[in-house]
Amino acid sequence: MKSNKNKDFIWNLLGLTINSFNSFFFLIVVNRINGSESGGVFTYAYSLICLFYMIGIFYTRTYQVSDTSNKYTNKEYICSRAFSCTAMLLVTIISLLIFRYDYFKTSIIILLCLYRLIEAFADVFLGILQKEGFLYKAGFSLFVKGIVGLIVFILVDYFTKNLIISCVSIVLVNIIIFLIYDLHNTKKYIEKSYKLKNAFAILKASFPVFIFTFLNIYLVNASKYILDIFDSASIQNIYGIILMPGTVLSLCAQYILNPYIVPLTNLYKDKKYKEYDKSIFKIIAIIFILGIVCEFIVAIIGISLLNLVYGIDLSAYKIELLVIIFGSIFVALIAVISSGLTIIKKNYIQVYIYIANCILTTIIAVLLINKFSIMGASLTYAISMIIQFCSSYLFYKNYINGGTDNEGSNKKSIRRGKRKYRGAI
């Protein structure tokens, strides 16, 4: 059992890491081989499909692997995922009909949609493996798809210099690995019987987490979407490149946060509200300090490193890069406070905060990007992340203080806190 846990940890970590950073490597390859115009199209298309990917997965996997009562069958989870993936494809097609991009941009968006749609559909099969005690097999699948997909993409793009053919190649890689590995390893766990009403019930149960995550992805990428309206593909490419270190920083912060999730859950379950609050503050402090250290490092070597990696002179965009890195610190802090609110079962209030901020961010983005281009996009990114963190943190503190004002009467205080905010939640 111990060795199995070790395998679970190692392969899940490797799989998630490769899967998270693949877009970073893809963008390097596209810039080096296809140029900045193609890089701009690719970075916009990938960020757009990342938003639609949330529709595809609909975040049913969390519900799937935590369903200890076995209320729904694996086949019903697969059916629910088929519905959400169909919705993902339809939304992509509708967006293309609305915006009427040129042939090249449309082709890249469709192919990346298919690439991530297959990934979204395969995710439900990886959930089956995880639930059956084979998390390492799920992690191995992500790792192989990431590595093989990247190698094939590089080789095809190098020899053809054609981004469309290169995107076709990674679609085929995902299809092949899904058929020979994911499906092969899970088919014995898939029942023949299922009820369509249960498939829809799964989607309904997962909707709150889906809408919250969808809005989060939109907020992080809103500056990219609005920039595409006002500027060229080459400008989008530059912004995508300077945004990448911020994305990497916020992803790395997850490695700090993840080990605390279970202890935080236990503290709240045991009604140790002061210790819970102190732990949240401790994680925020650690990530903020590390973020400031990263800000100084990026100020010294950031632009030089990006110039070397991407082969593009970005010297004129140092200030924009530093603004983005500062904003990415708050992206990481949002993840902390979001986890804190989720543990105390305050998901809906997060949705309301996200909706308000998404509307505000869109307005800010239009005003700033129209006037200041990349600097406007960078400022939009940083401002929106700061507003989201501050508003979420203020609600969290108001709620949690209801349970920590009086150590001797925690239950009574928490009840007061719950009554106070029931109307808003």
Side-chain angles (χ1 to χ4, degrees), residues 26 35 134 138 141 146 153 167 263 286 296 305-306 337 347 370 380 409:
F26 282 145
F134 302 108
S141 174
F153 184 86
C167 289
I286 291 171
F296 281 109
L305 189 59
L306 290 177
I337 209 65
N347 285 325
N370 186 36
T380 298
S409 57

Short mmCIF file of all heavy atoms in Angstrom, two decimals, residues 26 35 134 138 141 146 153 167 263 286 296 305-306 337 347 370 380 409:
data_model
loop_
_atom_site.label_atom_id
_atom_site.label_comp_id
_atom_site.label_asym_id
_atom_site.label_seq_id
_atom_site.Cartn_x
_atom_site.Cartn_y
_atom_site.Cartn_z
N PHE A 26 4.54 24.89 -25.89
CA PHE A 26 3.94 25.06 -27.22
C PHE A 26 4.22 26.47 -27.75
O PHE A 26 4.57 26.65 -28.92
CB PHE A 26 2.43 24.83 -27.17
CG PHE A 26 2.02 23.39 -27.12
CD1 PHE A 26 0.90 23.01 -26.38
CD2 PHE A 26 2.71 22.41 -27.80
CE1 PHE A 26 0.51 21.68 -26.33
CE2 PHE A 26 2.32 21.08 -27.76
CZ PHE A 26 1.22 20.71 -27.02
N GLY A 35 6.92 32.06 -35.98
CA GLY A 35 6.95 33.51 -35.91
C GLY A 35 5.92 34.11 -34.98
O GLY A 35 5.03 33.43 -34.46
N PHE A 134 -6.34 3.71 -8.63
CA PHE A 134 -5.22 3.73 -9.57
C PHE A 134 -4.92 5.15 -10.02
O PHE A 134 -4.85 5.43 -11.23
CB PHE A 134 -5.52 2.85 -10.78
CG PHE A 134 -5.81 1.41 -10.44
CD1 PHE A 134 -7.10 0.91 -10.55
CD2 PHE A 134 -4.81 0.57 -9.98
CE1 PHE A 134 -7.39 -0.40 -10.24
CE2 PHE A 134 -5.09 -0.75 -9.67
CZ PHE A 134 -6.38 -1.25 -9.80
N ALA A 138 -3.79 7.35 -13.85
CA ALA A 138 -4.34 8.60 -14.37
C ALA A 138 -3.22 9.62 -14.58
O ALA A 138 -3.16 10.30 -15.60
CB ALA A 138 -5.39 9.15 -13.41
N SER A 141 -1.12 8.69 -17.57
CA SER A 141 -1.79 9.04 -18.81
C SER A 141 -1.55 10.50 -19.17
O SER A 141 -1.21 10.83 -20.31
CB SER A 141 -3.30 8.78 -18.69
OG SER A 141 -3.99 9.25 -19.82
N GLY A 146 1.20 14.47 -22.44
CA GLY A 146 1.94 15.72 -22.47
C GLY A 146 3.27 15.61 -23.16
O GLY A 146 3.60 16.42 -24.04
N PHE A 153 4.49 17.43 -31.69
CA PHE A 153 4.22 18.80 -32.12
C PHE A 153 5.51 19.47 -32.63
O PHE A 153 5.52 20.10 -33.69
CB PHE A 153 3.62 19.60 -30.98
CG PHE A 153 3.22 21.00 -31.34
CD1 PHE A 153 1.97 21.26 -31.87
CD2 PHE A 153 4.09 22.07 -31.13
CE1 PHE A 153 1.59 22.55 -32.21
CE2 PHE A 153 3.72 23.36 -31.47
CZ PHE A 153 2.47 23.61 -32.01
N CYS A 167 -1.10 21.19 -35.15
CA CYS A 167 -2.23 21.05 -34.22
C CYS A 167 -3.01 19.77 -34.50
O CYS A 167 -3.51 19.13 -33.57
CB CYS A 167 -3.13 22.28 -34.32
SG CYS A 167 -2.42 23.79 -33.62
N PRO A 263 -5.12 19.54 6.42
CA PRO A 263 -5.03 20.10 7.78
C PRO A 263 -6.02 21.24 8.03
O PRO A 263 -6.60 21.34 9.12
CB PRO A 263 -3.58 20.61 7.86
CG PRO A 263 -2.83 19.76 6.89
CD PRO A 263 -3.79 19.51 5.77
N ILE A 286 3.36 33.58 3.35
CA ILE A 286 4.44 32.83 2.68
C ILE A 286 4.42 33.11 1.18
O ILE A 286 5.46 33.43 0.57
CB ILE A 286 4.31 31.32 2.95
CG1 ILE A 286 4.61 31.01 4.41
CG2 ILE A 286 5.26 30.53 2.04
CD1 ILE A 286 4.29 29.57 4.81
N PHE A 296 11.55 40.75 -7.60
CA PHE A 296 12.91 41.29 -7.68
C PHE A 296 13.77 40.48 -8.66
O PHE A 296 14.55 41.04 -9.42
CB PHE A 296 13.56 41.30 -6.29
CG PHE A 296 13.12 42.44 -5.43
CD1 PHE A 296 12.29 42.24 -4.33
CD2 PHE A 296 13.53 43.74 -5.71
CE1 PHE A 296 11.88 43.30 -3.55
CE2 PHE A 296 13.13 44.82 -4.93
CZ PHE A 296 12.29 44.60 -3.84
N LEU A 305 15.89 36.63 -19.85
CA LEU A 305 15.55 35.21 -19.95
C LEU A 305 14.48 34.98 -21.02
O LEU A 305 14.58 34.04 -21.82
CB LEU A 305 15.07 34.71 -18.59
CG LEU A 305 14.87 33.19 -18.44
CD1 LEU A 305 16.16 32.44 -18.71
CD2 LEU A 305 14.35 32.86 -17.05
N LEU A 306 13.47 35.83 -21.05
CA LEU A 306 12.41 35.69 -22.06
C LEU A 306 12.96 35.93 -23.46
O LEU A 306 12.55 35.25 -24.42
CB LEU A 306 11.27 36.67 -21.76
CG LEU A 306 10.41 36.37 -20.53
CD1 LEU A 306 9.37 37.47 -20.32
CD2 LEU A 306 9.73 35.02 -20.64
N ILE A 337 -7.47 31.99 -0.59
CA ILE A 337 -8.70 32.44 0.08
C ILE A 337 -9.91 31.70 -0.47
O ILE A 337 -10.89 31.44 0.24
CB ILE A 337 -8.86 33.97 -0.05
CG1 ILE A 337 -9.65 34.51 1.14
CG2 ILE A 337 -9.47 34.39 -1.34
CD1 ILE A 337 -8.94 34.37 2.47
N ASN A 347 -19.38 28.72 -1.25
CA ASN A 347 -19.10 28.73 -2.69
C ASN A 347 -19.93 29.78 -3.42
O ASN A 347 -19.44 30.45 -4.33
CB ASN A 347 -19.36 27.35 -3.30
CG ASN A 347 -18.26 26.36 -2.94
OD1 ASN A 347 -17.11 26.72 -2.83
ND2 ASN A 347 -18.64 25.10 -2.74
N ASN A 370 -7.91 49.85 -24.84
CA ASN A 370 -8.15 50.72 -25.99
C ASN A 370 -7.18 51.90 -26.01
O ASN A 370 -6.78 52.38 -27.08
CB ASN A 370 -9.60 51.23 -25.95
CG ASN A 370 -9.96 52.03 -27.18
OD1 ASN A 370 -9.52 51.73 -28.29
ND2 ASN A 370 -10.77 53.06 -27.00
N THR A 380 -4.96 45.92 -16.31
CA THR A 380 -6.25 45.25 -16.12
C THR A 380 -6.08 43.96 -15.35
O THR A 380 -6.84 43.67 -14.41
CB THR A 380 -6.90 44.95 -17.48
OG1 THR A 380 -7.14 46.17 -18.17
CG2 THR A 380 -8.22 44.20 -17.30
N SER A 409 -17.06 30.53 23.29
CA SER A 409 -18.42 30.35 22.74
C SER A 409 -18.40 30.30 21.23
O SER A 409 -19.12 31.03 20.56
CB SER A 409 -19.32 31.50 23.21
OG SER A 409 -18.78 32.74 22.82
#
